[in-house]
């Protein structure tokens, strides 16, 4: 296990107070830095922008309107990031801000852009810090809460594990604040309707997500083949201990194999065009684990945009794979048969060496 999405809720970052708690944030940054140092790839999904905005403005009475919240996010997001930058500076780690909306993750081209940017940051050993782009997110394009956002991000980056830290030790059989007999559920093999009912009662007052959105997130992750752990952010060294395999909090298992889930998605998707490749490229692709480069492409069929799902055909017309195209058809017509190093010269830009990247390619 290498790639981990860590979701930090407002209640974790504030320790339940009205302000971001620097000491708590330092503890978390320290753990993230240690894991980073050990070779793990960490992506943080962090709330706290509105809270930071509110304290920055000295708790104005703005009501609960959407523009007021958006304004608070606009003020607070830069403060939130500055704190992270300062903290990661201590460990000589660079952090980067990524602001997303649901649209960015469901629209193909933007999905590819988000994925490519996140991948590039991770490759460069930079820690991406993701939040919802609250200032422009209207109702239709909002994810709405960072629990769900963290699961979508985990799926985009193909994470091995999603850790959701909150102000409770995990999911309980009943509301622990009302029923002292409520027990922590350690392991959930499948997210069920009963589980959503159980989660209905719990929830903190600060921050958007109660337990329901955490279960929703776990369900999305599980369906994408990713395990989720919901645990308390107050537990000492919680991130390090979870990664080391200690049984804390509630674990929600992945419903299926990760590569299988991505593959199924690509293979069942309607294709918008096709690429005929030469025998050499076909052979390399069929061996598995390779990307399709422009040099191996003989013919481009159909008109499509970057992000389209394409079929790959051998010279004798056999369909061997589906993949997401990094380039639109018009540009492929110009770079097909050429070396990847020539892409920039020919097109004036490049989305990378591969036309179909191996991460976005499934063999039939
Ligand atoms: N994006 C919001 C913020 O940073 C938080 C949303 C959430 O906590 O679910 O203030």
């Amino acid at each position: 296990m290498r790639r981990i999405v860590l979701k930090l809720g407002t209640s974790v970052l504030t320790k339940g107070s009205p302000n971001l708690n620097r000491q708590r944030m330092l503890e978390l940054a320290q753990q993230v830095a240690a894991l980073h140092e050990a070779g793990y790839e960490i992506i943080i999904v962090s709330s706290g922008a509105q809270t930071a905005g509110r304290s920055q403005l000295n708790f104005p009475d703005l009501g609960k309107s959407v523009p007021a919240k958006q304004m608070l996010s606009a003020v607070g997001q830069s403060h939130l990031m500055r704190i992270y930058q300062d903290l990661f500076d201590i460990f000589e780690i660079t952090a980067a801000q990524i602001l997303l909306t649901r649209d960015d993750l469901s629209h193909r081209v933007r999905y590819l852009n988000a994925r490519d940017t996140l991948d590039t940051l991770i490759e460069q050993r930079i820690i991406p810090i993701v939040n919802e782009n609250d200032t422009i997110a209207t109702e239709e394009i909002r994810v709405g809460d960072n629990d769900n956002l963290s699961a979508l991000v985990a799926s985009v980056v193909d994470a091995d594990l999603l850790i959701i830290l909150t102000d409770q030790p995990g999911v309980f059989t009943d509301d622990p604040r009302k029923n002292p007999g409520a027990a922590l559920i350690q392991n959930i093999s499948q997210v069920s309707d009963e589980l959503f009912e159980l989660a209905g009662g719990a929830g903190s007052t600060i921050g958007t997500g109660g337990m329901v959105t955490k279960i929703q997130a776990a369900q999305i992750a599980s369906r994408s083949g990713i395990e989720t752990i919901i645990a308390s952010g107050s537990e000492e060294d919680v991130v390090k201990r979870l990664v080391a395999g200690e049984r804390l909090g509630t674990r929600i298992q992945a419903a299926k194999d990760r590569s299988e889930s991505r593959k199924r998605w690509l293979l069942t998707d309607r294709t918008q065009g096709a690429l005929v490749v030469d025998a050499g490229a076909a052979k390399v692709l069929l061996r598995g684990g390779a990307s399709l480069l422009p040099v191996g492409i003989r013919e481009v069929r159909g008109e499509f945009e970057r992000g389209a799902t394409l079929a790959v055909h051998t010279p004798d017309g056999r369909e061997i794979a589906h993949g997401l195209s990094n380039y639109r058809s018009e540009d492929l017509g110009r770079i097909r048969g050429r070396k990847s190093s020539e892409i920039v010269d020919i097109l004036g830009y490049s989305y990378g060496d591969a036309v179909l990247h191996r991460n976005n390619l499934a063999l039939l």
Side-chain angles (χ1 to χ4, degrees):
M1 188 236 293
R2 289 193 46 124
R3 192 169 282 195
I4 301 162
V5 172
L6 176 63
K7 191 265 170 175
L8 303 172
T10 302
S11 60
V12 172
L13 299 175
T14 58
K15 258 182 154 173
S17 78
N19 300 302
L20 294 175
N21 185 295
R22 301 248 193 324
Q23 191 191 337
R24 166 61 61 76
M25 290 176 74
L26 172 62
E27 284 160 19
L28 290 163
Q30 210 157 13
Q31 296 177 60
V32 169
L35 291 168
H36 177 87
E37 188 63 35
Y40 287 94
E41 298 167 338
I42 318 269
I43 298 98
I44 295 175
V45 175
S46 177
S47 308
Q50 288 177 40
T51 296
R54 223 172 269 121
S55 46
Q56 192 61 30
L57 297 174
N58 224 346
F59 305 95
D61 188 10
L62 297 167
K64 286 199 162 139
S65 73
V66 174
K69 285 189 187 167
Q70 290 179 308
M71 184 211 103
L72 289 173
S73 287
V75 172
Q77 179 65 28
S78 57
H79 287 279
L80 178 67
M81 276 312 293
R82 196 195 54 224
I83 298 173
Y84 276 118
Q85 308 270 22
D86 286 348
L87 292 174
F88 282 116
D89 273 351
I90 301 173
F91 306 99
E92 292 174 18
I93 292 172
T94 305
Q97 166 180 276
I98 303 253
L99 299 178
L100 295 171
T101 62
R102 181 182 291 284
D103 239 24
D104 300 321
L105 301 171
S106 50
H107 186 280
R108 273 305 168 71
V109 176
R110 293 197 213 159
Y111 167 90
L112 269 187
N113 291 346
R115 178 170 182 141
D116 286 352
T117 306
L118 282 160
D119 274 344
T120 309
L121 289 168
I122 295 164
E123 258 165 45
Q124 296 300 315
R125 303 293 289 147
I126 293 167
I127 296 188
I129 301 180
V130 183
N131 197 356
E132 179 141 37
N133 197 350
D134 288 324
T135 50
I136 59 144
T138 54
E139 217 34 67
E140 306 83 64
I141 63 164
R142 297 176 73 208
V143 177
D145 64 86
N146 278 3
D147 294 321
N148 276 283
L149 179 66
S150 69
L152 296 173
V153 168
S155 160
V156 169
V157 300
D158 226 345
D160 299 289
L161 177 65
L162 168 63
I163 298 177
I164 298 181
L165 292 188
T166 179
D167 54 1
Q168 295 169 61
V171 184
F172 283 82
T173 52
D174 196 2
D175 189 338
R177 292 165 306 182
K178 293 183 194 140
N179 178 359
L184 178 74
I185 308 175
Q186 286 199 324
N187 196 28
I188 294 169
S189 56
Q190 209 185 348
V191 177
S192 61
D193 291 346
E194 290 83 56
L195 189 63
F196 275 109
E197 267 162 46
L198 276 182
S204 57
T205 49
I206 184 165
T208 320
M211 209 36 99
V212 174
T213 51
K214 290 173 183 58
I215 308 268
Q216 283 169 352
Q219 188 172 42
I220 294 173
S222 173
R223 286 181 179 155
S224 314
I226 301 163
E227 183 182 74
T228 302
I229 304 174
I230 301 171
S232 166
S234 326
E235 194 76 52
E236 204 178 325
D237 277 338
V238 62
V239 189
K240 273 159 91 180
R241 286 162 66 194
L242 286 173
V243 173
E246 197 175 320
R247 301 201 65 86
L248 286 170
T250 302
R251 246 167 224 268
I252 299 106
Q253 291 173 17
K256 51 189 160 208
D257 183 66
R258 198 160 75 248
S259 61
E260 277 309 305
S261 105
R262 182 169 291 272
K263 201 170 151 182
R264 195 161 316 141
W265 176 70
L266 275 170
L267 293 182
T268 52
D269 205 35
R270 207 163 52 87
T271 57
Q272 290 154 273
L275 301 174
V276 182
V277 301
D278 63 28
K283 210 166 126 193
V284 174
L285 287 181
L286 284 170
R287 249 187 259 140
S291 301
L292 176 65
L293 306 179
V295 71
I297 300 172
R298 275 197 183 170
E299 194 191 323
V300 181
R301 291 188 184 151
E303 268 179 40
F304 49 83
E305 291 300 316
R306 168 171 153 80
T309 301
L310 303 182
V312 179
H313 293 275
T314 60
D316 51 12
R318 200 157 58 92
E319 189 170 305
I320 55 169
H322 281 186
L324 289 190
S325 182
N326 275 329
Y327 294 89
R328 57 185 171 149
S329 50
E330 200 189 315
D331 292 344
L332 285 181
R334 296 166 65 196
I335 59 172
R336 85 186 149 87
R338 307 291 288 267
K339 287 207 203 77
S340 297
S341 55
E342 295 177 290
I343 295 177
V344 179
D345 286 339
I346 299 170
L347 301 180
Y349 74 91
S350 164
Y351 279 115
D353 289 351
V355 173
L356 307 179
H357 192 275
R358 62 187 147 80
N359 288 342
N360 301 320
L361 191 79
L363 294 177
L364 285 163

